[in-house]
Amino acid sequence: MKKIINIHVNGQDYELAVEPNKTLVDLLRTDLGLTGTKKGCELGDCGSCTVIMDGKTINSCLVLAVQANNSRIQTIEGLQTEAGLHPLQQAFVEKGAIQCGFCSSGMILSSKNLLDRNPNPSEQEIREAVSGNLCRCTGYQKIVDAVADVGNKKK
Ligand code: FES
Ligand code: FES
């Protein structure tokens, strides 16, 4: 039997009827059409499904939609501003930190969450912040450079 949940996603309120076993990643991708959140391992290992929930990064494949009732979610679609790309999105493009792009939304959200707490992180702090996000393409250095670049601009 479906349950009614209220959820705030990227600045918008939704009231949705969801199956008790539906994961948050499936709710975001199928019910709300927010396919920027990727689904890789569905085991909590790859980080491609990372979103920010009530100020913390989470693997949305490990959270049931009903557990997200009354929470505030930010996905990659919520980062873009009226002025255009978020500075992190822009830096990832400029530094070549995106290749296939499958990890990028999770990487960027983990990085944003770090910069919100620590505007000018060290390389080590950046590496720790994205340690739950796997990338098979870039070798990570360009990702670290992109995040550091945004941090430096905030100095
Ligand atoms: Fe969620 Fe891999 S799909 S951690
Ligand atoms: Fe391909 Fe990271 S850019 S997995």
Side-chain angles (χ1 to χ4, degrees):
M1 191 170 127
K2 289 188 175 181
K3 296 195 185 288
I4 302 291
I5 65 164
N6 291 285
I7 189 166
H8 187 85
V9 183
N10 299 334
Q12 247 184 283
D13 289 317
Y14 298 90
E15 184 176 273
L16 299 162
V18 299
E19 298 85 1
N21 62 348
K22 178 172 275 192
T23 58
L24 179 59
V25 65
D26 283 338
L27 180 88
L28 293 170
R29 289 177 55 85
T30 59
D31 295 48
L32 301 185
L34 298 172
T35 53
T37 303
K38 300 302 181 208
K39 197 161 96 164
C41 65
E42 295 185 75
L43 292 169
D45 289 334
C46 73
S48 63
C49 64
T50 301
V51 299
I52 299 175
M53 180 165 139
D54 294 332
K56 292 188 179 147
T57 51
I58 54 135
N59 290 324
S60 59
C61 71
L62 296 184
V63 174
L64 292 172
V66 290
Q67 292 175 300
N69 189 23
N70 295 321
S71 67
R72 299 175 77 82
I73 307 287
Q74 190 169 35
T75 73
I76 194 70
E77 289 88 350
L79 253 61
Q80 190 163 347
T81 66
E82 279 178 21
L85 293 178
H86 184 278
L88 273 169
Q89 293 173 306
Q90 191 64 42
F92 269 57
V93 172
E94 286 170 6
K95 293 283 179 188
I98 296 176
Q99 288 187 29
C100 80
F102 198 81
C103 70
S104 304
S105 65
M107 283 286 183
I108 289 172
L109 287 166
S110 291
S111 304
K112 179 187 184 293
N113 195 248
L114 170 67
L115 292 179
D116 286 347
R117 290 180 282 113
N118 178 0
N120 189 21
S122 66
E123 174 162 344
Q124 186 57 32
E125 287 169 330
I126 296 168
R127 287 185 180 275
E128 277 169 25
V130 299
S131 61
N133 297 88
L134 302 186
C135 177
R136 64 183 176 183
C137 307
T138 65
Y140 297 98
Q141 189 59 51
K142 289 177 178 175
I143 290 169
V144 173
D145 292 346
V147 180
D149 198 48
V150 176
N152 284 332
K153 282 182 184 150
K154 282 189 177 174
K155 265 186 195 170

